[in-house]
Amino acid sequence: MAATNVSPAPYSSPLAEALAEDVLARLDRYARIDTQSAPGPRDGSPSTERQLDLSRLLVDELLAIGLGDAALDHNGYVTATLPSNSGSDAPVIGLIAHVDVSPDAPAEGVEPIVHRAYDGHVIHLPRNGTVLDPERMPALTKKLGHDLITSSGDTLLGADDKAGVAEIMAAVAHLQANPDLPRPTLRICFTPDEEIGEGASLFDIEAFGARAAYTMDGSEVGEFQDETWSAAEVVIEIKGVEVHPGFAYGKLVNAATVAAHIVAALPTDRLTPTTTKDRDGFIHLVSSQATAGHATLVLAARDFDDAVLAEHIALIRDTTTRVAASWPGVEIDIRDLPQYPNMRSHLAPF
């Protein structure tokens, strides 16, 4: 859970109402484009060519709006500029969102569904037997009277972060069409591969040229986040000793069994997303793939404090090494990969 500064803001306003249908139309259009990123080390940027399908569309739409410098660079970053109409002293402000969606669930063939004026009932989506029940999802009860947008039940919707993309595009179109509204120079950037921790890795800060930038991605209306987790991914590769079960006595080392013991040895009463809140860090098992011969565990480590994050990683390493010592013949490889730092450390000087 990221630390936040929350300022009161109405859910609706005349401007929000004026832009709502444009934002909805854009989200529907963008969500239908499969932009799933791919986990693991990248051979290039973006990690998948399909992200460029949306990026190219966004360039075309920005040019049509009137942002003549809109372009897609060789790393898959879309940039554009809406010049100030408030004088040369106005600051340059950035607006950022990411085009990719998570690789953790299906993202092809998305069909957005709009549920108008939600009245609190159970929503039965048409595919995959997916049910949205306010008793199991209390957040739904806070959305009474709102229009909800879901997928059809068998894919991601992709609102993370195509909702952010749609918001920025609708805002820029509105500002360009209403030159009487004062504005600073706005720099726009739509990035690839955020979901795999690479969204900022090739971001050209100098070329972007903004004094400050805001990422439209998640949170609640009226909420401004000035701090995030520091994050790392820990990948544990386990190579067992495969022997036919009929000849396995004293020889077989089952990698899947070793993986299960490692997971069981990690804390369950603390340091998990289920048992932590607010500024508590955690260790989260993201995925497990295992056969008798080979197993891979992927864990996410999170904390606001870099030193404590290092302790979480050390705990994973120490636990894995201790468990593996009980299984002669097993081979273990542990890699920890930094994903992103707490942005507070970068904002603090300002």
Side-chain angles (χ1 to χ4, degrees):
M1 178 177 180
T4 58
N5 289 336
V6 180
S7 57
Y11 182 79
S12 186
S13 67
L15 178 57
E17 291 175 3
L19 294 179
E21 290 306 314
D22 187 25
V23 173
L24 174 59
R26 291 179 185 278
L27 176 58
D28 181 272
R29 184 160 67 249
Y30 304 155
R32 293 174 186 273
I33 302 171
D34 180 5
T35 59
Q36 195 170 55
S37 48
R42 296 190 299 181
D43 294 328
S45 177
S47 62
T48 56
E49 284 292 314
R50 55 188 171 232
Q51 293 179 62
L52 299 177
D53 294 338
L54 177 53
S55 298
R56 294 187 185 102
L57 173 65
L58 293 172
V59 170
D60 291 342
E61 291 189 358
L62 288 164
L63 291 171
I65 289 170
L67 278 63
D69 68 340
L72 173 65
D73 75 10
H74 63 283
N75 289 316
Y77 291 74
V78 174
T79 54
T81 308
L82 182 63
S84 169
N85 61 4
S86 302
S88 59
D89 293 335
V92 178
I93 301 298
L95 299 176
I96 302 171
H98 64 89
V99 300
D100 66 311
V101 299
S102 171
D104 295 334
E108 184 178 6
V110 174
E111 293 189 16
I113 300 173
V114 181
H115 308 266
R116 297 284 185 180
Y118 176 61
D119 62 4
H121 65 281
V122 175
I123 300 174
H124 294 269
L125 299 181
R127 296 182 184 170
N128 211 35
T130 302
V131 176
L132 307 181
D133 186 342
E135 287 194 5
R136 297 184 61 188
M137 305 174 67
L140 285 172
T141 62
K142 299 178 182 179
K143 304 302 179 184
L144 296 176
H146 296 184
D147 295 340
L148 304 184
I149 309 168
T150 70
S151 73
S152 55
D154 58 347
T155 69
L156 293 171
L157 173 62
D160 179 7
D161 187 26
K162 290 170 184 174
V165 175
E167 292 161 6
I168 292 172
M169 291 293 291
V172 168
H174 183 78
L175 290 170
Q176 177 74 337
N178 293 272
D180 54 313
L181 295 175
R183 63 174 188 260
T185 293
L186 294 177
R187 284 284 284 161
I188 313 302
C189 186
F190 300 123
T191 69
D193 286 341
E194 188 271 355
E195 293 289 351
I196 60 170
E198 296 284 359
S201 61
L202 296 172
F203 187 93
D204 191 333
I205 295 175
E206 275 195 35
F208 193 55
R211 176 67 178 82
Y214 298 86
T215 298
M216 308 299 176
D217 187 1
S219 305
E220 297 290 334
V221 172
E223 184 175 76
F224 169 77
Q225 296 189 348
D226 61 359
E227 189 171 17
T228 58
W229 307 111
S230 283
E233 179 181 77
V234 182
V235 179
I236 304 170
E237 298 281 354
I238 305 162
K239 184 178 180 182
V241 179
E242 274 198 284
V243 180
H244 189 285
F247 304 92
Y249 180 78
K251 302 172 185 173
L252 174 67
V253 179
N254 191 314
T257 301
V258 177
H261 279 258
I262 291 170
V263 172
L266 289 168
T268 56
D269 59 340
R270 61 185 180 89
L271 288 181
T272 73
T274 309
T275 59
T276 55
K277 61 181 180 179
D278 301 329
R279 295 186 61 82
D280 297 330
F282 59 78
I283 295 168
H284 174 54
L285 178 62
V286 176
S287 67
S288 173
Q289 297 180 334
T291 64
H294 183 268
T296 302
L297 300 175
V298 179
L299 300 104
R302 301 286 187 270
D303 207 280
F304 288 100
D305 186 315
D306 289 351
V308 180
L309 177 67
E311 292 176 7
H312 298 337
I313 295 170
L315 175 62
I316 296 171
R317 285 184 169 274
D318 292 346
T319 301
T320 301
T321 302
R322 173 171 53 81
V323 171
S326 300
W327 301 83
V330 72
E331 296 181 16
I332 301 288
D333 179 59
I334 309 172
R335 305 187 304 277
D336 57 272
L337 312 168
Q339 292 179 302
Y340 53 86
N342 186 344
M343 63 182 173
R344 165 59 69 178
S345 61
H346 297 277
L347 292 174
F350 301 99

